[in-house]
Amino acid sequence: MTEFWLISAPGEPTPEKAWSLLQDRTTREADLAKNSKIHLPELKIGTLDTLVGLSDDLGKTDSYVEVVVKKIASYLSDVLEGDSHEKLAENLKANGEDPARYLANFRWDVAKYPVKLPLKNLAEIIGKQVSQIDADLKTRSQQYNQVRTSLQQLERRTTGNLMTRNLGDLVSKEDFVLGSEYLTTLLVVVPRSSAQEWRQTYEKLTDMVVPRSSKLVFEDNDHSLFTVTLFRKVVDEFKMHAREHKFLVRDFTYDENSQDSERNESQKLEAEKRRQFGPLVRWLKVNFSEAFTAWMHIKMLRVFVESVLRYGLPVNFQAVLMEPHKKTHRRLRDALDQLYAHLEASISGPQETIDIPGIMSNQQEYYPYVYFNIKLELF
């Protein structure tokens, strides 16, 4: 899992100076993180009331889009059925890049999200885009899952132990007496340890059992499958005495057409699964990229809105993406707290008299600088 801290600090006196100071404290003086400067375009700000309301809305959209991104990644992992993390990572790209690299090199997509639009409109565009992806994912996954589930049900019927599995693929027409008015052939599951007992006793379990009619058809690790031919009129009595010896007579009627139909159904489902697999994987790859890049644009909208609410107008702040090095989180937090301690004093006064509920209201952690945590735990 890769963790990033998306922060912003006021441009004191300029964004470039703020960036240089942050670099000095967190990379040059102490190697605590790898930092990337975030370039945000000039976005339409609107009114303070709009920003306060938008702050809450963006938090909800952020959470929703994150869920959709992880849902796509998780389902792609499911569809690839056991491929390694490395193979999965090869398919999870954002604009052709590794997600972490895309984030570190973030550039606003002005073609998809025109900066001339109000911030609320941009948030709505992203929300609707991801909502449509989510709806399409539900439809496509249901179609594929239906085929896969039907195939798995057929496979379960032809696997497992002899007590429960379908027996049609283990027997042939020659194993049965067919078309007789008086005789019938049963299939009996016998514990392997009792196979000799079966051979010695099956003719004596009831009258009217055809001598030497039992034949071993199949064996697994625990059981043997035998046939036995007898008169129809004693079937119930034979079953009762068989149970006393822990021999299980399976309910089975040989139907050649039914066996062929089941094999054909399995082949059709396999073909349908293969037909859907390629387009589905391509759709998941494309729309993971779409959803992930939308998610990062929401993150950037949030840092922009919170920075304006926190630091005021005119817009003068620097957004930075920080990737903390291992075991440096506490030291990095202390360094940032010391670097921006003066911001706490500058905003504490107004907060005592003016309540602005939109500022970081859906974030439990509070720092004197704008801060968002991004964990790229995608699968």
Side-chain angles (χ1 to χ4, degrees), residues 15 38-46 106-110 113-119 122 300-301 304-305 308 313-317:
I38 298 296
H39 301 275
L40 293 178
E42 295 183 12
L43 299 170
K44 294 189 68 173
I45 296 171
F106 179 85
R107 292 293 184 273
W108 188 272
D109 190 334
V110 294
Y113 313 115
V115 295
K116 294 182 179 181
L117 292 177
L119 294 176
L122 291 174
M300 299 307 163
L301 281 179
F304 181 88
V305 169
V308 173
L313 293 173
V315 175
N316 184 29
F317 67 88

Side-chain angles (χ1 to χ4, degrees), residues 159-176:
T159 57
N161 62 50
L162 290 171
M163 305 286 284
T164 58
R165 65 166 292 173
N166 184 290
L167 304 177
D169 62 327
L170 302 180
V171 296
S172 64
K173 183 178 181 179
E174 288 71 27
D175 295 322
F176 296 85

Side-chain angles (χ1 to χ4, degrees), residues 2 12 36 40 68 76 119 158 224 227 260 318 331 349 360:
T2 306
E12 298 175 337
S36 302
L40 293 178
V68 174
L76 180 58
L119 294 176
T158 58
S224 302
T227 61
D260 290 342
Q318 179 60 58
R331 291 167 57 205
M360 314 293 281

Side-chain angles (χ1 to χ4, degrees), residues 246-289:
K246 297 184 179 179
F247 305 148
L248 174 66
V249 179
R250 291 288 307 272
D251 290 328
F252 181 85
T253 302
Y254 183 81
D255 183 343
E256 191 170 11
N257 292 331
S258 174
Q259 304 311 316
D260 290 342
S261 175
E262 189 165 299
R263 280 190 288 270
N264 290 338
E265 178 65 16
S266 178
Q267 291 171 357
K268 288 180 181 178
L269 289 170
E270 283 282 7
E272 179 61 19
K273 183 183 176 185
R274 288 194 298 270
R275 187 188 70 80
Q276 291 190 25
F277 177 81
L280 177 60
V281 169
R282 287 192 292 273
W283 185 91
L284 289 168
K285 290 168 63 175
V286 168
N287 285 276
F288 172 82
S289 177

